[in-house]
Amino acid sequence: MEKVEKKNENPLYLEIYEYYKNLILLGRMKAGEKLPSIRRCALERQVSKTTIESSYMQLAAEGYIHSVAGSGYYVSEVNFEERKRIAPSYQQNKKQEKPLYDFVSSTVDPKSFDFELWRRYMKSALRNTERLVAYGDPQGEYDLRVALMNYVNEARRVVCSPEQIVVGAGVQSLLGILCALTDVRNPICFTGHEFKQGQAVFKDRGFDIYYRRTFAKDLSFLKEKKAKMLYTFPSHMTPWGEVMSMKTRLELLSYADKEDCLIIEDDYESEFRYYTRPVPSLQSLDGGQKVIYIGGFSRLLLPSLRIAFMVLPVELMDIYQEKGRYYNQTASTAEQIALCQFIRDGHLKKQIRKARKIYMSKSQELGRVISEVFKEKAKVLPNEGGFLVPFEIKTTLSIKEIEERASKAGIKLRVAEKLSHEGWIYLILSCSGVEEELFKESMSLLKDVLFE
């Protein structure tokens, strides 16, 4: 046998390993057939015995051959060809093409965030070597929790101490912890947004889930289901920013107190009130007895900044002290340090004012363009806050036809089937992910594909 010529940068023992592995896989060496002894193979290939031994050991470790004491190495009985044939394969779905105009995306407008300023805070945070080489506080960095306490107390009148705040990488990670603290309290009712990601967390942990878009004149829905937990968005009940009335808030708190029901207040987009001052949080009215307050920064700063927080009521604190230590911190320590200083230096308040101004202008402009382009064929509905612009179009097309025509034209939009009625189809467009300069051409294209 000729000496092995080294053909690439791989170690020589791997080339010999590949040689025998291919012989076995191709069936040229059958099960039970004996391999050359280590000494003989080394002589034939003019390499060291250590190299051959390493090759054989690798083949044996992967099950291609096995050793028989005092005899040598033999090809294993495994039918590798059959294994290859029946092995299941997984093919990832083809990556969808990016639409020309994405009116569904949760992205933020790049102009709303000062990236250079944030880079400076991140660079400063990365100098905290002592804090970065250790695992972070499972509850969240203490100085950030103090800054969050001051922020939510001033902005939303939330009543809490830093010890009641738990920081995590997004709302879903926090809900996982919350489920461990409450055990299964059936059922849980969602109202306002469906928030399917949140529902999935509770469903996976055995909760019975009910959803009602909004409360009617009373809380009969909760009483009928005998709800023990409620997930709600008091500051943003509908896509167009409707706020839960004070009367309903007080009735909810009364129900929670009488029926031992925990309320999860997701303060989603509460900063984006365009025409009225934010209503005090539900937690502030309750004094932190039955309400779990949840906030985050994905929309206000960046979606990639995965920092959210929840304020636990006093009744859950003893349980958290017992179980919370088993949940490691999921949010980046460096980002927590940077965000803490960002808040302390007053930049969060400036960011809120800047972002609110940009998105109010964009939502107004999108509404104006829709009215101008569609004329009598569309009605733009009032928008109290947030990123979404709701409007109705008068058409005989079905929801499926509208979505297909828009998609083929490169326009991604959302149709609210439950809100559509009698020849009027209800559309909801997010203004955050499309530049203002593109509103006119995108809406003109949409009108063309739907009506011409």
Side-chain angles (χ1 to χ4, degrees), residues 189-201:
C189 296
F190 281 71
T191 183
H193 303 275
E194 286 190 81
F195 190 29
K196 293 182 179 179
Q197 297 93 329
Q199 289 190 27
V201 174

Side-chain angles (χ1 to χ4, degrees), residues 376-396:
E376 74 284 349
K377 295 182 182 293
K379 293 187 296 187
V380 178
L381 303 172
N383 180 23
E384 297 294 331
F387 302 79
L388 304 179
V389 177
F391 73 105
E392 295 176 320
I393 59 171
K394 191 173 184 179
T395 178
T396 58

Side-chain angles (χ1 to χ4, degrees), residues 159 164 282-291 312-315:
V159 180
Q164 290 175 260
L282 199 59
Q283 197 268 6
S284 67
L285 298 174
D286 172 60
Q289 299 300 310
K290 289 291 182 182
V291 177
L312 296 173
V314 175
E315 72 175 72

Side-chain angles (χ1 to χ4, degrees), residues 171-176 178-179 188 190 193-205 207 209 231 233 264 266 294:
V171 173
Q172 282 182 294
S173 66
L174 294 175
L175 293 182
L178 183 60
C179 288
I188 180 171
F190 281 71
H193 303 275
E194 286 190 81
F195 190 29
K196 293 182 179 179
Q197 297 93 329
Q199 289 190 27
V201 174
F202 289 98
K203 185 177 181 180
D204 289 345
R205 285 160 177 77
F207 281 76
I209 297 170
Y231 201 109
F233 306 81
I264 303 171
D266 193 328
I294 290 183

Side-chain angles (χ1 to χ4, degrees), residues 1 4 12-26 28-29 35-36 41 44-45 55-56 59:
M1 188 177 289
V4 173
L12 189 55
Y13 86 92
L14 282 181
E15 292 188 25
I16 298 171
Y17 151 81
E18 288 287 347
Y19 171 77
Y20 282 111
K21 184 182 80 169
N22 289 332
L23 289 179
I24 295 170
L25 289 177
L26 293 172
R28 293 177 183 171
M29 290 190 74
L35 275 73
C41 192
E44 289 177 346
R45 294 177 175 270
S55 304
Y56 282 12
L59 289 164

Side-chain angles (χ1 to χ4, degrees), residues 290-327:
K290 289 291 182 182
V291 177
I292 301 152
Y293 179 91
I294 290 183
F297 301 94
S298 294
R299 279 296 208 175
L300 186 57
L301 301 178
L302 292 172
S304 57
L305 181 61
R306 303 302 296 157
I307 295 182
F309 63 96
M310 65 178 173
V311 179
L312 296 173
V314 175
E315 72 175 72
L316 293 181
M317 286 309 301
D318 287 341
I319 303 174
Y320 179 77
Q321 293 306 318
E322 177 187 345
K323 295 184 176 182
R325 57 195 173 95
Y326 296 115
Y327 291 85

